[in-house]
Amino acid sequence: MDSSGVANFSSTQQYTFDTTLLGANVAGDVTDFPVLIRISNSIRSSLQGDYDDIRFSDRDQRTWLPFEIEQGASGELYAWVLVPQVDGNSNSDYIVLHYNDTVNGSVPNGENPSRLWADYAGVWHFDEGTDGTAYDSSAYQNHAQQISSSVSTNSDKLIGHGRNFQSLDRLQVPYTPALNVDNRAFTIEAWVKEDLVLSLVFNTPSTWMSRGSGNYSWELEGKSGLLALITPPSLTITESTFNDTNLSFNGGGFILAGSTWLHVTLVVDPAVGVRIYGDGAQIGGTGTYRNSEDGSAFLMGGTNGEQQMDEIRYGRFAADANRVRLSYQNQRSSGNLVSPKF
């Protein structure tokens, strides 16, 4: 504990994790996991305006946990908390929120995003609430610069704010050594919501995220549309380097499916190849690995963009299936991992 110990806070709230079949349904333990906590309005209203009077501890209530606060468009309060281990197939694991300092102004701000996101080359919450630069919460400060058109805040918020990519809208993260994946594992994670287009043919694919060019590149693309109101909209992910894999899965439903938030994860591991996940489930992959590093920038958005995106992450590790599923179940609005939910 630092100088702002437990005794300096007058209130607590326990947040329990349920990874059993009735909860997030995650069988294995996941270590060093950034859990999203949605803080209730009643707790938020009791806090100082700068939210300094917040801390999170592990269940022992002796160890402060690194965290970061994110605010929504209508004042919603979110906290990302680094939990040492979320137990698999359990409903007894928990952390504790300590809040409302006993003497107003007596504790300093406790956020530590650099420690929270230590395993990431970049984490973009898009919580600026406007267009322009998207700021990176990791220690690397790989801020995404707006390089074409106006990547405005999105109208349909998922977690806090987000960004709306249309046509050639793009954000660019200039190359730094933190982005280097030369024979190294990495994980790309994002929430994407495509605009629904009613068409007799499928839409031209829109680029979501990419790095590199030619044989040293990877790209995530999506397309959704309706084929004579019979074929459901589908999500297609294409990465051009790794054995030319083209994968797709049904977005679910019909007319409204094209406007549903989808959680997308790309995992590249030199030891085992490529895996692609949609909404926490693996939808394809290949055992072939090819080095895609060419020193290029990381791009968000691109050609034919018609989508909203939120919570983009560039991890310097290969996420396993338990971690991917836990991330999806934790962040989706109707997830059953954390109790209370709000």
Side-chain angles (χ1 to χ4, degrees):
M1 290 289 186
D2 57 21
S3 59
S4 52
V6 168
N8 291 327
F9 299 89
S10 61
S11 304
T12 61
Q13 172 65 60
Q14 178 175 307
Y15 292 96
T16 302
F17 307 140
D18 185 354
T19 56
T20 67
L21 186 63
L22 298 179
N25 191 20
V26 176
D29 300 341
V30 180
T31 59
D32 294 329
F33 184 77
V35 171
L36 172 63
I37 300 295
R38 294 174 168 87
I39 298 175
S40 69
N41 289 335
S42 60
I43 291 178
R44 176 172 62 87
S45 64
S46 71
L47 302 173
Q48 296 180 28
D50 54 12
Y51 304 125
D52 282 353
D53 52 340
I54 283 180
R55 295 292 188 278
F56 289 88
S57 73
D58 207 354
R59 59 191 301 172
D60 61 10
Q61 299 197 47
R62 296 180 179 178
T63 305
W64 283 148
L65 302 177
F67 72 96
E68 179 186 19
I69 294 296
E70 183 177 353
Q71 297 182 54
S74 301
E76 304 92 344
L77 194 61
Y78 306 89
W80 297 95
V81 186
L82 186 64
V83 178
Q85 177 171 300
V86 177
D87 297 336
N89 194 27
S90 167
N91 57 12
S92 60
D93 195 14
Y94 65 89
I95 61 174
V96 179
L97 164 65
H98 303 261
Y99 66 99
N100 195 6
D101 50 350
T102 54
V103 179
N104 284 339
S106 62
V107 297
N109 185 283
E111 295 181 69
N112 190 355
S114 294
R115 175 68 187 89
L116 168 63
W117 305 111
D119 294 333
Y120 293 82
V123 176
W124 299 273
H125 298 301
F126 302 124
D127 59 352
E128 300 81 18
T130 184
D131 59 2
T133 300
Y135 293 96
D136 170 26
S137 288
S138 81
Y140 297 103
Q141 298 293 280
N142 285 320
H143 306 314
Q145 304 165 0
Q146 186 169 285
I147 61 172
S148 59
S149 194
S150 177
V151 189
S152 60
T153 184
N154 63 337
S155 57
D156 184 9
K157 311 298 188 294
L158 180 68
I159 301 170
H161 293 270
R163 289 294 181 97
N164 186 31
F165 293 79
Q166 296 291 321
S167 186
L168 297 177
D169 293 356
R170 286 189 296 171
L171 294 171
Q172 175 180 276
V173 180
Y175 175 80
T176 68
L179 298 178
N180 190 288
V181 292
D182 186 4
N183 287 306
R184 299 175 182 172
F186 67 97
T187 297
I188 304 296
E189 178 183 348
W191 285 91
V192 181
K193 180 179 181 181
E194 289 196 304
D195 291 346
L196 178 65
V197 177
L198 182 60
S199 174
L200 296 180
V201 295
F202 283 109
N203 303 337
T204 301
S206 59
T207 301
W208 296 346
M209 292 161 284
S210 62
R211 271 201 71 209
S213 61
N215 292 329
Y216 292 91
S217 65
W218 60 264
E219 185 174 83
L220 294 179
E221 293 182 334
K223 61 180 179 180
S224 64
L226 294 178
L227 183 59
L229 293 179
I230 296 176
T231 303
S234 64
L235 170 72
T236 299
I237 305 174
T238 303
E239 35 76 29
S240 59
T241 301
F242 310 113
N243 204 29
D244 295 323
T245 303
N246 188 311
L247 304 169
S248 64
F249 70 94
N250 188 342
F254 284 86
I255 294 180
L256 298 179
S259 57
T260 298
W261 281 103
L262 298 169
H263 186 258
V264 181
T265 307
L266 167 67
V267 181
V268 179
D269 187 341
V272 298
V274 182
R275 288 171 281 123
I276 299 179
Y277 297 82
D279 284 353
Q282 185 172 342
I283 59 173
T286 171
T288 301
Y289 167 79
R290 296 180 186 176
N291 192 347
S292 64
E293 183 55 59
D294 73 343
S296 294
F298 174 47
L299 294 176
M300 309 173 195
T303 59
N304 302 307
E306 292 184 356
Q307 71 274 342
Q308 301 176 57
M309 293 197 288
D310 197 5
E311 295 299 331
I312 295 180
R313 301 178 185 176
Y314 193 119
R316 293 161 55 86
F317 58 88
D320 65 13
N322 287 318
R323 188 181 187 93
V324 173
R325 181 169 180 79
L326 189 64
S327 187
Y328 162 66
Q329 291 286 355
N330 177 213
Q331 295 178 41
R332 69 189 185 103
S333 57
S334 58
N336 295 317
L337 173 67
V338 179
S339 179
K341 294 182 179 181
F342 301 98

